[in-house]
Amino acid sequence: MLLADTQLSASGRPTQPAVSAAPEPPAQWHRVLTLLADVSLFIGTREVWTQAATHRPAVAAVISVCYASILVCGVLALVVRGRRSLARVDLCVLVTGLTLALCAFVLFHRGSDESVLTAQAARDLVAGHGIYGRPWPWLFGGNGIALTPTVTGGYDYTYGYPPLAPLLTAPLLWLGHGGLPAIAMSTGALLVGTVVLWWLLPAPWRSAATMTCLGFSTLPMYGRLGYPAILALALLVPVVVRWTRIGRGGRLGPAGVAQAACLGAACAAQQLPWFLAPFLFAGIYAVRRGELGGRAAGLVVLRLAGVATTVWLLINTYFVVSQPVAWLKGIALPLIQGAVLHGQGLVGVSLYLTDGSDRLDWYGYASLLLLAGLLALFVLFVRRLGPAATVLPWLAFWLATRSQDGYYLMMTPLWLAAAVTAPASDFAGAWQPFTRRLAGPRRRPARIAAAVVLLSPALLSATLAATGSPPLRMEVTSVRHDVRALSRLTLRVTNTDDDALTPHFTLTRGQGMYPYFSVLRGPATLPAHTTATYELRPPGGTYALPKPGQKIRLRVFTSSPQTLSSTYVTLPSA
């Protein structure tokens, strides 16, 4: 008998082995993932520490401890021997990220237009007033809060989201004035959503949740801006994790009912989940039909949609009853408000590369057509596209008139959740229509043809929008200014379009948009194929001139039809 296996005590009785089994070592990719999550917490932390060192020394001390934690976790991620030990390092990285997010919240909680609108909606709700269709222009006066300009020459001062965010903000109104209660709500939702995602993911992947939700300082920034979309994200996390298992065996079960309820609540928080839900429903139907057959799969999806709709209606019931028309317009506002072009998508062609377009409406058509085409492709090729269900919907926003990168960034944790818990193997037996015609190695031409047919309308619409011509031809005839500011701008405007246009003028530097100028002289509506002289005055009387070499661009928006005309303004020497 080997000594390593059994030892005898003095009394002759066997004792436990002298050498215990070594802990099972973690995979190298797990170590690297933990290290990457740890490193991601460095990004943006110095800015927070610098601010804290000046105004909140106690917070700066906490951040310094977090720096030490990051360094120690970096060492431990590479040297610990067992999986359990590395899991504890993952937990330490998570706690460090949560602490840094709270420190940033303490220092930076000025908010944005979204937070002040949400907080004001909560205050009016508590006061017994309606929250939809009520303009609050005083929220934006002189406090640096961004405005949402529209092509009608005005600004949107109303709340334009479903009501769950104000409902959850109302109990936090005691925190203070401005947008702070809404910021606390959205930041809290992000932290809770991060913990939920971390807990639901398989242990080796948990640091990826910390990195995606708290690293790089991106999502915490949106939380501190008070975006209702962060609340929607947190509610979607339990929906997306293992979403292909919903309805397995033909029953939702408690977990499936909870996921359906979270989906309904997410749709009652912000509009972005509306675009994701059809892809989830289609994917669940395809997977369940491959398992159970068409009828049973349809019943599963109906139960799922029924629970989600019930929760959504319960959250909205008070507003549907108290102000039905205003509520409907309010929750549809981002789709119908006519906000000016903005974002990093295809609209940049009309904003920056050309002088505008007389077919801006076609950007919106292209976005909707692309969403419909992608959903149809998803149904046709769900076995291939199923793992990308949480990514595909956001492609449509790249063609939209409002193509801000926040629409993609705020939903990236869902990409991770689906990638880890809904792999391609879950879709291997999913049902696909027209399998005989589109499946198999010899059917590649048919698949390509289907993709071309379904995506061509969106591409054609996008091409029409981007290649439009500016309908107004402008010539600056006089500029009144001194060394520092511009006070008057006179220009000759020719309407080359076949429709009468109502122009709204502004100046821009880079990607930002200055408030609309007042028209002191010139017709409100310029008839087709006519020329008129306009004299413009900046809001507040003066427009601060940029540094030498920075270009100023005059932009003119019209609402019916939606058009944009632009030209550069050259200032004569003073």
Side-chain angles (χ1 to χ4, degrees):
M1 184 175 293
L2 297 176
L3 180 62
D5 294 332
T6 305
Q7 289 184 342
L8 296 178
S9 65
S11 61
R13 295 179 181 178
T15 63
Q16 295 296 325
V19 180
S20 60
E24 187 175 359
Q28 186 65 18
W29 65 264
H30 184 183
R31 294 184 186 275
V32 173
L33 187 60
T34 302
L35 187 65
L36 289 175
D38 191 51
V39 170
S40 72
L41 299 182
F42 277 127
I43 300 175
T45 301
R46 183 178 181 181
E47 178 186 359
V48 181
W49 179 88
T50 302
Q51 186 75 11
T54 304
H55 303 286
R56 298 285 186 90
V59 177
V62 174
I63 296 173
S64 294
V65 173
C66 289
Y67 269 118
S69 176
I70 294 172
L71 294 170
V72 172
C73 287
V75 174
L76 294 177
L78 299 177
V79 302
V80 295
R81 295 184 176 182
R83 292 184 178 181
R84 289 187 178 182
S85 297
L86 189 55
R88 295 187 186 100
V89 177
D90 289 335
L91 178 59
C92 185
V93 173
L94 172 66
V95 172
T96 304
L98 295 173
T99 304
L100 287 172
L102 287 173
C103 290
F105 165 74
V106 170
L107 291 167
F108 303 112
H109 48 254
R110 185 176 182 181
S112 66
D113 56 333
E114 309 238 356
S115 63
V116 296
L117 285 171
T118 302
Q120 184 61 41
R123 293 186 181 97
D124 276 24
L125 180 64
V126 170
H129 305 308
I131 67 173
Y132 291 109
R134 295 172 59 87
W136 300 307
W138 63 87
L139 297 176
F140 305 88
N143 55 6
I145 301 298
L147 290 164
T148 300
T150 65
V151 291
T152 59
Y155 306 91
D156 200 335
Y157 302 113
T158 62
Y159 188 72
Y161 298 107
L164 183 57
L167 287 170
L168 295 180
T169 300
L172 303 176
L173 292 177
W174 59 271
L175 288 174
H177 300 288
L180 180 59
I183 297 167
M185 181 276 299
S186 59
T187 299
L190 175 63
L191 301 185
V192 172
T194 301
V195 173
V196 170
L197 180 57
W198 189 93
W199 181 259
L200 292 177
L201 289 181
W205 292 101
R206 286 174 173 172
S207 279
T210 304
M211 178 167 53
T212 307
C213 295
L214 303 177
F216 313 117
S217 74
T218 303
L219 287 185
M221 177 196 67
Y222 282 109
R224 296 193 303 273
L225 292 175
Y227 276 55
I230 294 295
L231 173 61
L233 164 67
L235 290 166
L236 285 173
V237 164
V239 178
V240 170
V241 173
R242 299 180 182 88
W243 68 271
T244 52
R245 301 183 186 181
I246 296 177
R248 178 179 289 182
R251 296 179 64 256
L252 286 182
V257 171
Q259 288 175 291
C262 287
L263 178 60
C267 291
Q270 212 259 358
Q271 290 88 347
L272 286 178
W274 299 1
F275 298 89
L276 176 62
F279 288 84
L280 296 181
F281 286 138
I284 292 168
Y285 176 79
V287 173
R288 295 285 79 83
R289 181 166 176 174
E291 174 196 1
L292 306 169
R295 185 175 182 276
L299 291 175
V300 166
V301 173
L302 284 176
R303 295 190 194 103
L304 178 67
V307 174
T309 302
T310 300
V311 172
W312 184 82
L313 286 174
L314 287 174
I315 295 172
N316 284 273
T317 296
Y318 170 77
F319 307 93
V320 174
V321 174
S322 61
Q323 45 177 175
V325 176
W327 165 80
L328 185 60
K329 291 181 178 179
I331 64 173
L333 188 64
L335 306 177
I336 63 175
Q337 68 186 161
V340 300
L341 302 185
H342 179 68
Q344 294 74 39
L346 189 65
V347 295
V349 173
S350 297
L351 279 171
Y352 310 115
L353 302 182
T354 68
D355 288 332
S357 173
D358 57 351
R359 297 192 287 256
L360 297 185
D361 289 314
W362 286 93
Y363 283 117
Y365 303 151
S367 179
L368 293 175
L369 289 171
L370 181 58
L371 183 68
L374 290 172
L375 181 59
L377 281 178
F378 180 79
V379 172
L380 288 177
F381 306 110
V382 68
R383 294 176 186 173
R384 175 62 66 86
L385 297 178
T390 57
V391 184
L392 284 171
W394 319 123
L395 270 67
F397 287 96
W398 195 79
L399 300 183
T401 54
R402 303 287 285 185
S403 56
Q404 301 174 99
D405 58 2
Y407 295 143
Y408 331 129
L409 293 175
M410 286 188 284
M411 296 295 128
T412 49
L414 304 181
W415 304 10
L416 169 69
V420 175
T421 64
S425 58
D426 287 358
F427 300 90
W431 169 81
Q432 289 187 166
F434 311 113
T435 304
R436 293 182 179 179
R437 296 181 180 180
L438 298 176
R442 298 183 180 181
R443 305 295 184 182
R444 185 176 182 181
R447 294 196 295 270
I448 294 175
V452 170
V453 169
L454 292 172
L455 299 181
S456 288
L459 297 178
L460 178 60
S461 297
T463 302
L464 286 173
T467 58
S469 301
L472 299 178
R473 188 171 64 248
M474 295 168 289
E475 178 186 357
V476 178
T477 59
S478 174
V479 180
R480 188 188 304 174
H481 72 102
D482 55 25
V483 176
R484 297 181 178 180
L486 177 150
S487 58
R488 290 291 189 276
L489 185 65
T490 305
L491 58 151
R492 184 179 296 108
V493 181
T494 300
N495 181 4
T496 63
D497 202 73
D498 294 331
D499 297 314
L501 299 175
T502 303
H504 307 286
F505 303 86
T506 184
L507 294 181
T508 62
R509 288 178 286 185
Q511 62 87 31
M513 177 174 162
Y514 197 71
Y516 284 112
F517 280 42
S518 301
V519 177
L520 300 180
R521 180 164 58 95
T525 300
L526 186 61
H529 305 293
T530 59
T531 300
T533 298
Y534 285 85
E535 184 178 354
L536 310 177
R537 182 182 65 185
T542 59
Y543 173 82
L545 295 177
K547 297 178 181 179
Q550 188 175 15
K551 294 182 178 180
I552 303 177
R553 206 168 194 187
L554 173 67
R555 298 196 192 279
V556 186
F557 291 95
T558 69
S559 61
S560 183
Q562 288 194 37
T563 71
L564 168 64
S565 304
S566 305
T567 188
Y568 285 105
V569 176
T570 302
L571 298 178
S573 57

